Amino acid sequence: MDEKQVQILRLKEEKNAVIMAHYYVDDNIQEIADYVGDSYYLSEMATRVKEKTIVLCGVSFMGESAKLLNPEKRVLLPDLEADCPMAHMASVEKIEEVRATYKEDVAVVCYVNSTAELKAHSDVCVTSSNALKVVKALPNPVIYFIPDRQLGTYISRRIPEKKFIFNDGGCPIHTVITKGDVQSALACHPGAKILVHPECREEVIEMADYIGSTSGIIDHATASSAREFIVVTELGVMYELKKRNPEKSFYSTAAGQICEDMKKITLDKIISVLEQDGAGLEMAADLTDKANAPLKRMLELSR
Ligand code: 13P
Ligand code: SF4
């Protein structure tokens, strides 16, 4: 463990803080975090930790979700500019338009990779690990899925009885990966199993041996008897994959697979946010009330 990591462990004890990290942040942060997981795990765990302060190492919607679910807790974000671009790729005006057309038939389903404002205008939130279960449980025959077209499409193929309306948003990291990129990786490693995040294009999803959230991908590779895998999501997951499976091999494609926003979180920024000891994330009370209801509904429907 290096000096900065030791300093963080000391500071978090002093401040009675817990460190939560997403699988896409740098290895040196995952190494010292109290909890590391996918978006669903982090939001669920935020409701269970006893510490008063949560340092959320991930992009801002993850910190916002933790705060919305626990308004009485202090949520510290090491870098306020670490923001998922897809979180902004939908509009309240379009939601209102769809609601005016479909009335009570429609449920507005909002991927957690979204702003609090979009959540506040939605009926329920989902993550990549529970979207199928949550959408199936909804009584509404029409689903307006925001902001991610890819995840929405993936879910819609598995729930043909509902009508889906899509929104033109997507993850800039996952959607640049093409079928050709995966084919090239497979040509180098024939026989490797293909693990795909559902934010990917449909042409990539169709090639997958397994489709799931970051936690799902890690759990699947760990349980699998296969020895080689092509990992089609952000490369931060490699840390946990290799830690749990030192005897297996994991490969990437040539399409980058790095989320610059997740990589904005550094040990220095965690030290500084703990030392500053500020008030943390603040949100207007009316926004908190409206945006927390769809998150709570997600937790209820996915348990
Ligand atoms: P997970 O919920 O699968 O961890 O995904 C979050 C994310 O941002 C994927 O790009
Ligand atoms: Fe957002 Fe994509 Fe980064 Fe995930 S990988 S946080 S969806 S930009």
Side-chain angles (χ1 to χ4, degrees):
M1 200 168 289
D2 77 15
E3 226 173 85
K4 288 177 185 172
Q5 290 175 310
V6 173
Q7 195 181 349
I8 292 172
L9 296 187
R10 185 178 48 75
L11 277 166
K12 78 163 187 150
E13 289 308 317
E14 263 173 49
K15 315 280 181 194
N16 187 27
V18 65
I19 305 212
M20 304 184 74
H22 187 266
Y23 283 127
Y24 291 165
V25 298
D26 280 337
D27 298 2
N28 57 10
I29 297 169
Q30 294 191 47
E31 233 169 69
I32 52 148
D34 298 292
Y35 302 98
V36 187
D38 67 6
S39 310
Y40 175 66
Y41 174 86
L42 295 177
S43 59
E44 220 263 335
M45 193 48 75
T47 66
R48 294 207 263 139
V49 292
K50 57 178 190 333
E51 289 82 353
K52 277 231 151 33
T53 299
I54 297 174
V55 182
L56 207 308
C57 302
V59 285
S60 50
F61 78 81
M62 295 176 173
E64 284 177 8
S65 298
K67 181 70 183 173
L68 288 167
L69 287 164
N70 307 279
E72 75 295 348
K73 289 209 196 251
R74 178 169 72 146
V75 176
L76 301 177
L77 300 180
D79 186 335
L80 294 171
E81 286 177 8
D83 190 13
C84 170
M86 179 165 54
H88 305 269
M89 294 183 190
S91 82
V92 170
E93 293 70 35
K94 182 71 203 274
I95 294 176
E96 299 308 343
E97 225 175 84
V98 173
R99 283 199 192 282
T101 308
Y102 292 95
K103 312 263 183 307
E104 59 282 352
D105 277 353
V106 71
V108 179
V109 176
C110 187
Y111 189 27
V112 279
N113 295 42
S114 50
T115 60
E117 173 78 358
L118 288 171
K119 288 182 177 77
H121 287 83
S122 301
D123 295 303
V124 67
C125 288
V126 294
T127 72
S128 56
S129 69
N130 61 29
L132 205 52
K133 187 170 180 187
V134 170
V135 174
K136 271 188 182 163
L138 297 174
N140 313 65
V142 182
I143 303 296
Y144 179 39
F145 197 99
I146 59 164
D148 190 4
R149 175 180 280 276
Q150 310 305 327
L151 180 64
T153 304
Y154 165 71
I155 298 301
S156 73
R157 300 277 184 248
R158 282 144 191 90
I159 314 181
E161 65 278 15
K162 290 189 195 275
K163 172 184 169 70
F164 279 74
I165 302 160
F166 301 110
N167 168 75
D168 237 343
C171 164
I173 287 85
H174 287 85
T175 54
V176 295
I177 310 168
T178 63
K179 185 177 174 174
D181 292 321
V182 182
Q183 278 168 339
S184 303
L186 197 57
C188 297
H189 309 287
K193 298 292 177 201
I194 302 170
L195 310 174
V196 175
H197 196 280
E199 285 178 13
C200 288
R201 297 175 184 203
E202 200 167 22
E203 65 181 35
V204 170
I205 288 183
E206 280 165 2
M207 297 180 72
D209 293 294
Y210 175 81
I211 305 150
S213 74
T214 51
S215 295
I217 286 175
I218 292 163
D219 291 344
H220 178 84
T222 304
S224 167
S225 59
R227 314 287 296 175
E228 293 191 293
F229 301 88
I230 295 166
V231 178
V232 195
T233 187
E234 212 275 351
L235 295 183
V237 296
M238 292 291 195
Y239 173 74
E240 187 72 16
L241 281 168
K242 289 177 184 165
K243 187 170 114 185
R244 286 206 217 167
N245 304 281
E247 74 295 358
K248 296 181 182 174
S249 301
F250 298 97
Y251 311 109
S252 58
T253 71
Q257 299 179 226
I258 297 289
C259 176
E260 298 296 345
D261 280 281
M262 288 284 187
K263 304 311 187 207
K264 284 180 182 163
I265 311 300
T266 62
L267 293 176
D268 283 322
K269 290 175 188 170
I270 300 173
I271 292 172
S272 131
V273 84
L274 279 165
E275 281 180 342
Q276 280 162 17
D277 218 4
L281 197 56
E282 307 220 40
M283 272 188 265
D286 60 330
L287 183 62
T288 303
D289 289 346
K290 286 188 198 136
N292 126 324
L295 276 170
K296 280 197 170 149
R297 194 170 179 206
M298 169 186 85
L299 294 183
E300 279 157 25
L301 292 175
S302 47
R303 271 182 187 133

Coordinates of all heavy atoms in Angstrom, one line a residue, residues 24 59 61-62 83-87 111 113 171-174 199 234 259-262, ligand 2:
Y24 N -15.1 1.0 -12.5 CA -14.4 1.6 -13.6 C -13.3 2.6 -13.1 O -12.5 3.1 -13.9 CB -15.3 2.5 -14.5 CG -16.3 1.7 -15.4 CD1 -17.4 2.3 -15.9 CD2 -16.1 0.3 -15.6 CE1 -18.3 1.6 -16.7 CE2 -17.0 -0.4 -16.4 CZ -18.1 0.3 -17.0 OH -19.0 -0.4 -17.8
V59 N -18.8 8.6 -11.2 CA -19.3 9.8 -11.8 C -20.5 10.4 -11.0 O -21.1 9.7 -10.1 CB -19.7 9.5 -13.3 CG1 -18.5 9.4 -14.2 CG2 -20.6 8.3 -13.4
F61 N -23.7 11.0 -11.2 CA -25.0 10.5 -11.0 C -25.0 9.4 -9.9 O -26.0 9.2 -9.2 CB -25.6 9.9 -12.3 CG -25.1 8.6 -12.7 CD1 -25.6 7.4 -12.1 CD2 -24.2 8.4 -13.7 CE1 -25.1 6.1 -12.5 CE2 -23.7 7.2 -14.1 CZ -24.2 6.1 -13.5
M62 N -23.8 8.8 -9.7 CA -23.7 7.8 -8.6 C -23.8 8.4 -7.3 O -24.4 7.9 -6.3 CB -22.4 7.0 -8.8 CG -22.4 6.2 -10.1 SD -20.9 5.3 -10.4 CE -21.4 4.3 -11.9
D83 N -18.4 13.4 -14.8 CA -19.9 13.3 -15.1 C -20.1 12.4 -16.3 O -19.4 12.5 -17.3 CB -20.3 14.8 -15.4 CG -21.8 14.9 -15.5 OD1 -22.5 14.0 -15.1 OD2 -22.2 16.0 -16.0
C84 N -21.1 11.6 -16.2 CA -21.4 10.7 -17.3 C -22.1 11.5 -18.4 O -23.2 12.0 -18.2 CB -22.3 9.5 -16.8 SG -22.9 8.5 -18.2
P85 N -21.5 11.6 -19.6 CA -22.2 12.4 -20.7 C -23.6 11.9 -21.0 O -24.5 12.7 -21.3 CB -21.2 12.3 -21.9 CG -20.2 11.3 -21.5 CD -20.2 11.1 -20.0
M86 N -23.8 10.6 -20.9 CA -25.1 10.1 -21.3 C -26.2 10.5 -20.3 O -27.4 10.6 -20.7 CB -25.1 8.5 -21.3 CG -26.4 8.0 -21.6 SD -26.4 6.2 -22.0 CE -25.7 5.4 -20.7
A87 N -25.8 10.9 -19.1 CA -26.8 11.3 -18.1 C -27.6 12.5 -18.5 O -28.7 12.8 -18.0 CB -26.1 11.7 -16.8
Y111 N -32.9 5.0 -16.9 CA -31.6 4.4 -16.5 C -30.9 5.3 -15.5 O -31.0 6.5 -15.6 CB -30.8 4.3 -17.8 CG -29.5 3.5 -17.7 CD1 -29.3 2.5 -16.8 CD2 -28.4 3.8 -18.6 CE1 -28.1 1.7 -16.8 CE2 -27.2 3.0 -18.6 CZ -27.1 2.0 -17.6 OH -25.9 1.3 -17.6
N113 N -28.0 6.2 -15.1 CA -27.1 7.1 -15.7 C -27.8 8.3 -16.3 O -28.0 8.5 -17.5 CB -26.4 6.4 -16.9 CG -25.5 5.2 -16.4 OD1 -25.9 4.5 -15.6 ND2 -24.3 5.1 -17.0
C171 N -23.9 5.6 -24.5 CA -22.6 5.8 -23.9 C -21.5 6.0 -25.0 O -21.3 5.1 -25.8 CB -22.2 4.6 -23.0 SG -20.5 4.5 -22.6
P172 N -20.8 7.1 -25.0 CA -19.7 7.3 -26.0 C -18.6 6.2 -25.9 O -17.9 6.1 -26.9 CB -19.2 8.7 -25.7 CG -19.8 9.2 -24.5 CD -20.8 8.2 -24.0
I173 N -18.4 5.6 -24.8 CA -17.4 4.6 -24.7 C -17.8 3.2 -25.3 O -17.1 2.6 -26.0 CB -16.9 4.4 -23.3 CG1 -16.1 5.7 -22.9 CG2 -16.0 3.2 -23.0 CD1 -16.8 6.8 -22.4
H174 N -19.0 2.8 -24.9 CA -19.5 1.5 -25.3 C -20.0 1.5 -26.8 O -19.9 0.5 -27.4 CB -20.6 1.0 -24.4 CG -20.2 0.6 -23.0 ND1 -20.0 1.5 -22.0 CD2 -19.8 -0.6 -22.6 CE1 -19.5 0.8 -20.9 NE2 -19.4 -0.5 -21.2
E199 N -24.8 -1.7 -22.7 CA -24.8 -0.3 -23.3 C -24.2 -0.4 -24.7 O -24.1 0.6 -25.4 CB -23.9 0.6 -22.4 CG -24.6 1.1 -21.2 CD -23.8 2.0 -20.3 OE1 -22.7 2.4 -20.8 OE2 -24.1 2.2 -19.2
E234 N -15.9 -1.1 -20.1 CA -14.7 -0.3 -19.7 C -13.7 -1.1 -18.9 O -14.0 -2.0 -18.2 CB -15.3 0.9 -18.7 CG -14.5 2.2 -18.8 CD -13.3 2.3 -17.9 OE1 -13.1 1.3 -17.1 OE2 -12.6 3.2 -18.1
C259 N -13.2 5.1 -19.9 CA -14.1 6.2 -19.6 C -13.3 7.3 -18.8 O -12.9 7.2 -17.7 CB -15.2 5.8 -18.7 SG -16.3 7.1 -18.1
E260 N -13.0 8.4 -19.6 CA -12.2 9.5 -19.0 C -12.8 10.1 -17.8 O -12.1 10.6 -16.9 CB -12.0 10.6 -20.1 CG -11.2 10.1 -21.3 CD -9.8 9.7 -21.1 OE1 -9.3 10.0 -20.0 OE2 -9.2 9.0 -22.0
D261 N -14.1 10.1 -17.7 CA -14.8 10.7 -16.5 C -14.5 9.9 -15.3 O -14.2 10.4 -14.2 CB -16.3 10.9 -16.8 CG -16.5 12.2 -17.6 OD1 -16.4 13.3 -17.0 OD2 -16.6 12.1 -18.9
M262 N -14.6 8.6 -15.4 CA -14.3 7.7 -14.2 C -12.9 7.9 -13.8 O -12.5 7.8 -12.6 CB -14.6 6.3 -14.6 CG -16.0 5.9 -14.7 SD -16.8 5.8 -13.1 CE -18.4 5.2 -13.5
Ligands
SF4_2 FE1 -21.2 7.0 -18.6 FE2 -20.2 5.4 -20.5 FE3 -18.6 6.3 -18.6 FE4 -20.5 4.5 -18.0 S1 -18.7 4.3 -19.3 S2 -20.0 6.4 -16.8 S3 -22.1 5.2 -19.4 S4 -19.7 7.5 -20.2

